[in-house]
Amino acid sequence: MSLRDYVDALDADATPGLSVEIDREKAVALAVFLIPGMTLFGIFSVGPIVYSAVGSFFSWDAFSMQQFTGLENWIRTFRDPLIINWENLRRWRFPMGALAQNLLWVVLHVPISTVLGLAMALLFADLRGRRILRSMVFLGFTVPTIVIGLVLLFIYDPQAGVFNELLRVIGMEHQVRNWTQSPQVAIYALIAGGIWVQTGFNMLLYSSALAAIDPSLIESAKIDGAGPYRRFRDIIWPLVRPVTAVVVIMGIIWVLRVFDIVYAAGGSAGGPNHAYSVLGIEVYRAAFEPPIDYGKAMVVALVQLVIVAPLAAYIARMG
Amino acid sequence: MGESTVRQQVMTSITMDGVSKYFDGGETVANYRLNLEVDDGEFLVILGPSGCGKTTALRLVAGLEEPSEGDIYFDDERVNRWSPSERNVAMVFQNYALYPHMSVRENIAYPLKVRGIPPDERDRRIEEVTELLHIEGQIGKRPAALSGGQRQRVALARAIVREPSVFLLDEPLSNLDAKLRQEMRSELKRLQDELGITTIYVTHNQEEAMSMADTVVVMNRGTIQQISPPEELYSRPRTEWVARFIGSPPMNLFEGERRNGSIAIGEAGTVDLESVAGVRGIDATSTSTSTSASASASLSDDLSLGVRPEDLFLSSERPTSGNALEGTVDTVEPLGEYTLVNVAVDDRLVKVKVGDADVTRGEEVWLTFDDEDAYLYDENGELVTQAPSPQPTEGR
């Protein structure tokens, strides 16, 4: 083969040959970069999820899988009054079951902490000393939630607690009680604590959203004749609405995973007679406290996941 | 608060009476003792470099800031504490400030909606104003989908649609490209002519100021330097600073010393003070002729002589008569329309605008100019004007 032929041959297959080459190189590079991450993700995220999804259809003896039992675990869990107590739910008496109580958290905690967060962000937007105030409010979010639970115990303590003292001062002595141990009100007391924590976080998100609004828009609205309420309704609110989606969803996710506050206040039972137990508490008890019911733990954990996953996916796609 | 009286009036005159604005507890002086009058339907331009306080002055008129001192009047009403909407002003911001979450239509409708104007009246007005500004086709779009020029028009439409009594524009053309800027300039001028709304327009661009204004207010460092019609700003810059600011390239200033009826410009030569001053009716023979501030200081020993680049002539031989200053050609910049020759005179560069230059670098030249093209500034930088005398002057 002459040199000429050789060069021609090179030319002939240059384009397709080269592109294949590049693709293969790219694929290898991609794999090299992906494998460590994907391995960890697989072992610690996908693995357990699949494992519990499969495991929820088997019977268990402590931590070892026995035989396939179909929907038995699922049916048993949903009939468990610790998860949903239909009877009490109808009469609105605690305990109503961990799922119902957890949803009550969502219904109260999320809207209230969202509104409070926005209100504080607006309040602090043009206030002197706003940085200090903002840090103070945000401080709640930086404290480990288990500590928040302990702090709540102190606040609600019947003798030494600040809250009861406050009630005595304003002359509502008959309301004084051990808030965290009174089955019918304890959950609200804990939700209040949760709101306190979350408000700081929400305020921070809203503050940055407000700071991102061009001040000339607000001034333009002033000149257009809009008063404070209309400026909020027509200009500020529409512009912070995307943040509201994040705030609400983050709140829902946070609340559905709530554990520490409840555990600190009521132990692994979730309060007297499980009066304020939540899903996380039920998973913990079923999995780690005798009598161990691994099947139930998996079902409850999956229920949590099923509620949270679509919300998380929504947030992840918003970017 | 008497807002109804203002609202019913289509036009408004504005008076600023000794208005000062301080920020940071008095540490920053944004405006200092502004005295200003804007007539009904007048197009007033506030011109100045960035940071001179022109935008603050506008915001004071708008009601977005309250004066620290002094009073603002709309017609005869003191409006210091009135909100922008009570003053019935409309403002176009530099960045247009269109509401990003509303369509063009909603943006224009917003001020009408807030003021409770019924929907059919709203529709009629929107149709009118969008036609006037040629944005009928954009009505359904969001601001983000518009070009800079279109956004500008929408911002104008939103301001006009309310039929405000005062129209405030804060550097409205600075975000547009050069060609569009020129187009919008003439369009704005036409619009203001047609609508006859009292307008205050803030800009740092002297071309805009000169071409659009009925009256130009030149500001520097928070104070007003000169208030005059555009032509006069060019022909009679009241201070050295204005002289240096107006014109492109701006006026040349020669630092000189008074010596026996003439001004010595360093080594470059002397200019006969009597003839230069005499054109303007200034008595050059005495040093304190009157009580007026500028006139009494007029013939101090340090004087500056100003001549515009277009009023200087180049000559390669020493002229036999008239004013002549000696210099060396430093650089020649042919710019097509004219040629700019930089001449070193007494160690300073002087710009000369000539039609056609047949000089080369290093050449010795004489700069000549007519008496009536020379301006004298005293040591305080004030234009030396004629002492108050019965004789009228023709300015230039």
Side-chain angles (χ1 to χ4, degrees):
Chain A
M1 193 159 74
S2 73
L3 185 64
R4 181 73 252 162
D5 286 343
Y6 180 66
V7 172
D8 284 349
L10 269 183
D11 276 354
D13 65 10
T15 321
L18 203 66
S19 71
V20 169
E21 195 88 347
I22 283 173
D23 279 355
R24 195 183 301 139
E25 262 175 34
K26 235 188 205 169
V28 170
L30 279 174
V32 166
F33 283 112
L34 277 176
I35 282 168
M38 292 306 276
T39 310
L40 291 174
F41 184 63
I43 293 173
F44 294 105
S45 288
V46 181
I49 291 172
V50 172
Y51 184 65
S52 47
V54 173
S56 68
F57 297 103
F58 284 81
S59 70
W60 292 79
D61 178 21
F63 296 125
S64 56
M65 208 187 280
Q66 303 293 299
Q67 70 265 29
F68 183 77
T69 53
L71 286 175
E72 210 255 55
N73 285 332
W74 287 83
I75 293 165
R76 188 161 46 80
T77 304
F78 278 100
R79 284 195 180 151
D80 189 344
L82 286 177
I83 303 302
I84 307 181
N85 188 332
W86 290 105
E87 177 98 3
N88 282 355
L89 191 59
R90 227 166 282 132
R91 295 186 293 130
W92 200 257
R93 297 281 302 165
F94 293 98
M96 295 189 272
L99 181 59
Q101 279 150 200
N102 216 152
L103 291 177
L104 182 66
W105 267 84
V106 173
V107 170
L108 291 177
H109 172 107
V110 174
I112 294 176
S113 64
T114 303
V115 170
L116 277 180
L118 177 58
M120 289 205 175
L122 286 171
L123 187 71
F124 293 167
D126 359 85
L127 210 67
R128 210 170 266 273
R130 55 180 170 263
R131 282 203 193 133
I132 296 168
L133 286 167
R134 230 182 250 158
S135 322
M136 279 166 66
V137 176
F138 186 67
L139 215 56
F141 195 75
T142 64
V143 176
T145 33
I146 188 81
V147 177
I148 298 288
L150 294 172
V151 170
L152 287 181
L153 279 183
F154 282 119
I155 289 175
Y156 292 126
D157 186 271
Q159 266 79 47
V162 181
F163 188 65
N164 283 319
E165 195 53 44
L166 183 76
L167 288 178
R168 283 189 205 101
V169 168
I170 63 171
M172 293 177 67
E173 218 141 50
H174 57 284
Q175 290 290 348
V176 170
R177 67 185 85 184
N178 189 347
W179 289 89
T180 57
Q181 304 309 318
S182 317
Q184 298 310 318
V185 295
I187 190 168
Y188 301 114
L190 294 185
I191 291 175
I195 289 170
W196 162 42
V197 174
Q198 187 90 40
T199 297
F201 180 66
N202 293 350
M203 177 204 65
L204 208 72
L205 287 181
Y206 274 123
S207 284
S208 57
L210 288 179
I213 296 178
D214 179 356
S216 65
L217 289 182
I218 310 294
E219 292 185 336
S220 180
K222 266 187 206 169
I223 285 180
D224 283 345
Y229 170 69
R230 286 211 76 144
R231 288 204 292 272
F232 173 75
R233 198 193 72 183
D234 298 340
I235 313 296
I236 297 172
W237 175 246
L239 293 177
V240 299
R241 206 154 39 197
V243 174
T244 304
V246 175
V247 164
V248 166
I249 290 173
M250 296 285 278
I252 294 174
I253 292 174
W254 190 86
V255 160
L256 282 171
R257 292 167 44 210
V258 71
F259 176 84
D260 321 34
I261 292 182
V262 179
Y263 185 83
S268 65
N273 197 20
H274 316 289
Y276 46 82
S277 175
V278 287
L279 294 174
I281 294 282
E282 293 305 317
V283 173
Y284 176 82
R285 218 173 47 250
F288 302 120
E289 275 186 10
I292 286 171
D293 186 348
Y294 226 50
K296 176 182 164 188
M298 287 174 169
V299 170
V300 177
L302 283 170
V303 168
Q304 275 184 301
L305 181 75
V306 165
I307 302 173
V308 169
L311 298 171
Y314 180 80
I315 284 222
R317 277 153 180 270
M318 266 181 63
Chain B
M1 236 189 194
E3 50 189 286
S4 55
T5 51
V6 170
R7 285 219 182 120
Q8 280 153 15
Q9 236 158 331
V10 183
M11 292 197 285
T12 305
S13 65
I14 302 164
T15 309
M16 289 179 104
D17 184 14
V19 173
S20 300
K21 179 69 188 175
Y22 311 121
F23 290 110
D24 310 327
E27 256 177 63
T28 314
V29 180
N31 284 158
Y32 188 67
R33 297 205 179 150
L34 304 188
N35 290 300
L36 185 61
E37 268 181 53
V38 192
D39 293 336
D40 263 10
E42 186 176 5
F43 196 126
L44 181 114
V45 175
I46 303 181
L47 173 68
S50 46
C52 73
K54 54 191 192 299
T55 295
T56 306
L58 192 74
R59 292 168 60 86
L60 284 164
V61 175
L64 290 170
E65 307 281 358
E66 245 184 71
S68 311
E69 280 165 22
D71 295 312
I72 300 173
Y73 297 91
F74 277 31
D75 292 328
D76 296 324
E77 303 249 23
R78 185 171 173 272
V79 297
N80 282 28
R81 303 190 67 92
W82 288 21
S83 74
S85 71
E86 283 164 338
R87 298 181 190 199
N88 196 21
V89 296
M91 185 157 166
V92 175
F93 291 82
Q94 186 172 3
N95 61 1
Y96 316 137
L98 297 178
Y99 309 124
H101 56 289
M102 298 184 191
S103 68
V104 166
R105 186 194 179 77
E106 288 166 323
N107 262 286
I108 300 173
Y110 189 66
L112 302 179
K113 220 162 114 186
V114 171
R115 275 146 204 269
I117 287 166
D120 35 327
E121 164 78 2
R122 242 186 267 164
D123 290 346
R124 191 186 60 72
R125 284 216 222 164
I126 291 170
E127 199 179 316
E128 219 176 84
V129 79
T130 48
E131 230 168 80
L132 186 70
L133 285 160
H134 314 296
I135 43 172
E136 305 98 318
Q138 325 296 336
I139 205 106
K141 292 184 187 163
R142 289 282 170 97
L146 300 180
S147 69
Q150 288 166 336
R151 281 182 215 180
Q152 169 71 75
R153 283 158 195 271
V154 175
L156 284 170
R158 185 176 66 183
I160 292 168
V161 77
R162 281 175 34 198
E163 298 168 5
S165 47
V166 177
F167 203 28
L168 306 172
L169 300 136
D170 184 7
E171 307 239 10
L173 304 183
S174 63
N175 285 353
L176 301 180
D177 61 60
K179 187 169 166 284
L180 207 53
R181 201 179 305 161
Q182 216 150 42
E183 263 175 50
M184 287 304 293
R185 203 162 78 190
S186 45
E187 192 162 331
L188 262 175
K189 180 76 184 149
R190 174 181 63 82
L191 213 61
Q192 201 269 341
D193 258 6
E194 277 172 30
L195 300 170
I197 303 173
T198 310
T199 301
I200 302 182
Y201 183 110
V202 160
T203 182
H204 65 265
N205 182 321
Q206 49 166 307
E207 242 177 81
E208 272 172 37
M210 301 295 252
S211 64
M212 298 165 87
D214 297 327
T215 304
V216 181
V217 176
V218 182
M219 282 187 72
N220 184 35
R221 307 186 63 184
T223 57
I224 293 177
Q225 298 280 321
Q226 183 165 357
I227 305 176
S228 60
E231 312 80 53
E232 198 187 312
L233 201 62
Y234 177 83
S235 64
R236 264 176 80 86
R238 196 96 32 88
T239 64
E240 242 184 85
W241 189 86
V242 175
R244 279 215 187 89
F245 186 66
I246 300 293
S248 128
M251 189 185 286
N252 297 301
L253 284 157
F254 304 93
E255 278 170 28
E257 215 176 300
R258 180 168 170 259
R259 230 178 257 160
N260 305 326
S262 60
I263 314 168
I265 313 286
E267 308 288 302
T270 57
V271 173
D272 184 21
L273 182 59
E274 245 170 277
S275 59
V276 167
V279 173
R280 292 175 189 278
I282 305 162
D283 185 2
T285 51
S286 88
T287 46
S288 60
T289 47
S290 88
T291 49
S292 124
S294 60
S296 64
S298 66
L299 298 179
S300 54
D301 284 347
D302 290 318
L303 289 170
S304 290
L305 182 79
V307 187
R308 294 208 175 274
E310 50 271 38
D311 294 332
L312 282 171
F313 301 97
L314 281 181
S315 157
S316 44
E317 281 154 38
R318 176 182 274 280
T320 48
S321 66
N323 306 309
L325 294 171
E326 193 184 358
T328 317
V329 175
D330 186 76
T331 42
V332 181
E333 303 172 38
L335 297 170
E337 188 189 344
Y338 58 87
T339 300
L340 205 58
V341 183
N342 295 303
V343 181
V345 176
D346 193 25
D347 290 340
R348 301 188 61 166
L349 278 189
V350 172
K351 291 184 184 298
V352 183
K353 231 175 179 177
V354 292
D356 199 14
D358 50 356
V359 291
T360 50
R361 183 178 157 77
E363 200 177 321
E364 293 271 304
V365 288
W366 278 268
L367 304 175
T368 60
F369 54 92
D370 296 334
D371 288 342
E372 58 267 28
D373 291 332
Y375 300 82
L376 284 177
Y377 293 95
D378 63 22
E379 57 193 355
N380 300 322
E382 308 251 350
L383 182 68
V384 178
T385 51
Q386 122 226 36
S389 74
Q391 268 183 330
T393 52
E394 84 284 29
R396 189 165 101 112

